[in-house]
């Protein structure tokens, strides 16, 4: 599932800019995000077979997950290397680690395709909704596999199909329809680019991993109102915000209002918006 329709370097540069901007939103909403997604980090760490004393690589760690979860498991005798292309996201991750008293994480600014470590220098690798944004995903997975000890595991996550991930699909489709923007070319990396068991498994298999298995989890989110849902999306989901911000201010305001309106069907009688979203977790052996 390699992407040939886009320039990989330009794509990464744009992602770096978008996620640097989004880091402020992740800082503002991190407690809400952690509460809803900590079980995904825990499952990735478990699936990768991470244990005390291990050396772990987190690819596209963003604000520090599942790096922080892994760091607590490997303990003082182990180490986690958390990598990401966004310096701003990594800076926030470093702040979170310091606040939690976690000292066994090294934060490294680098995209997945540029990582360079000696062969067999890690006991496990993880990536939570991270490597799926890499335009050369299979090649990046192969690169990571080379850093792992023989038989070590890599566990990654993606979101499921759009109809099962309303948290992302509802605002994305609303924005595209409102702005008259066509869907991205097939294979364009993004939050919904590996939506099936076959697609997420293919990323690892294309990187040379064996014994790949895929399982499903759910992530449940709650917002106080449709308007809060729209604000959250604007702050957090960089691809959607980047799409909307290409237009005049009045069009942007109308689009975010339309996104809030699109969330109304997901609101309960108490006015709160609740969405259950499908997550796919894949694990393979180096």
């Amino acid at each position: 599932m390699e992407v040939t329709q886009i320039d990989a370097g330009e794509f990464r540069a744009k992602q770096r800019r978008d996620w640097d901007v989004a880091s402020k939103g992740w800082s503002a909403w991190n407690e809400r995000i952690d509460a809803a997604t900590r079980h995904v980090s825990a499952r990735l760490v478990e699936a990768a077979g991470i244990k005390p004393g291990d050396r772990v690589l987190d690819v596209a760690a963003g604000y520090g997950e599942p790096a922080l979860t892994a760091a607590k498991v490997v303990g003082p005798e182990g180490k986690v290397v958390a990598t990401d292309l966004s310096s701003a996201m990594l800076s926030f991750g470093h702040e979170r680690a310091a606040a939690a008293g976690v000292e066994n994480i090294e934060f490294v600014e680098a995209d997945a395709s540029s990582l360079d470590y000696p062969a067999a220098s890690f006991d496990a690798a993880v990536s939570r909704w991270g490597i799926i944004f890499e335009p050369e995903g299979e090649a990046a997975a192969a690169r990571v596999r080379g850093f792992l000890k023989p038989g070590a595991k890599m566990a990654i996550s993606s979101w499921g199909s759009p109809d099962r991930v309303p948290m992302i699909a509802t605002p994305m489709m609303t924005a595209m329809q409102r702005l008259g923007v066509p869907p991205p070319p097939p294979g364009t990396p993004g939050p919904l680019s590996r939506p099936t068991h076959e697609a997420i498994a293919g990323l690892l298999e294309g990187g040379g991993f064996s014994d790949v298995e895929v399982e499903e989890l759910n992530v449940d989110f709650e917002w106080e109102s449709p308007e809060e849902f729209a604000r959250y999306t604007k702050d957090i989901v960089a691809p959607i915000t980047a799409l909307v911000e290409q237009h005049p201010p009045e069009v942007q305001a109308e689009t975010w209002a339309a996104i809030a309106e699109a969330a109304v069907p997901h609101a309960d009688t108490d006015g709160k918006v609740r969405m259950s979203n499908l997550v796919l977790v894949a694990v393979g052996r180096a």
Side-chain angles (χ1 to χ4, degrees):
M1 192 174 170
E2 294 291 346
V3 177
T4 58
Q5 301 95 331
I6 61 176
D7 181 283
E10 291 181 1
F11 190 86
R12 294 188 193 101
K14 183 179 185 304
Q15 285 197 104
R16 182 178 291 107
R17 293 191 298 269
D18 292 345
W19 288 110
D20 278 348
V21 172
S23 66
K24 297 178 182 178
W26 282 75
S27 177
W29 295 94
N30 79 93
E31 292 182 4
R32 183 88 58 97
I33 296 169
D34 284 347
T37 63
R38 60 170 53 99
H39 67 291
V40 179
S41 288
R43 181 57 190 139
L44 288 170
V45 168
E46 181 182 38
I50 295 170
K51 60 188 183 301
D54 277 352
R55 182 176 169 86
V56 179
L57 177 64
D58 186 352
V59 181
Y63 77 139
E65 282 295 347
L68 279 161
T69 299
K72 295 172 183 176
V73 172
V74 303
E77 300 303 316
K79 181 177 181 179
V80 177
V81 178
T83 69
D84 199 89
L85 52 67
S86 168
S87 61
M89 289 291 278
L90 284 177
S91 179
F92 179 46
H94 192 276
E95 290 176 13
R96 297 178 72 232
V102 176
E103 300 179 347
N104 57 344
I105 301 180
E106 177 186 1
F107 292 90
V108 177
E109 183 181 348
D111 63 74
S113 70
S114 300
L115 298 176
D116 189 15
Y117 293 98
S121 56
F122 291 96
D123 298 289
V126 288
S127 184
R128 194 184 84 168
W129 302 304
I131 198 171
I132 61 173
F133 284 87
E134 165 56 44
E136 296 171 324
E138 285 79 0
R143 195 172 185 83
V144 171
R145 182 172 58 84
F147 308 147
L148 296 177
K149 295 177 180 177
K153 293 180 179 180
M154 182 175 191
I156 64 177
S157 68
S158 70
W159 295 104
S161 58
D163 61 311
R164 300 286 302 278
V165 190
M167 178 178 71
I168 298 174
T170 297
M172 179 67 79
M173 290 188 291
T174 301
M176 288 191 299
Q177 292 170 0
R178 185 82 184 184
L179 301 172
V181 177
T188 301
L192 299 175
S193 62
R194 302 278 181 167
T196 65
H197 285 226
E198 294 76 17
I200 189 64
L203 195 157
L204 291 178
E205 291 168 346
F209 286 87
S210 61
D211 303 324
V212 178
E213 297 181 354
V214 181
E215 63 185 76
E216 299 183 357
L217 299 174
N218 282 311
V219 165
D220 299 321
F221 266 91
E222 179 182 294
W223 300 269
E224 291 299 318
S225 66
E227 291 74 23
E228 186 183 64
F229 169 76
R231 290 196 300 273
Y232 171 90
T233 302
K234 183 178 181 179
D235 288 347
I236 294 296
V237 190
I240 298 177
T241 300
L243 174 66
V244 176
E245 287 183 345
Q246 298 176 35
H247 299 269
E250 65 273 14
V251 176
Q252 293 184 38
E254 292 170 358
T255 302
W256 290 116
I259 288 172
E261 183 64 27
V264 170
H266 296 276
D268 291 336
T269 54
D270 59 5
K272 293 183 178 181
V273 173
R274 296 181 174 89
M275 296 182 181
S276 182
N277 306 275
L278 176 65
V279 176
L280 303 178
V281 171
V283 59
R285 189 179 300 276

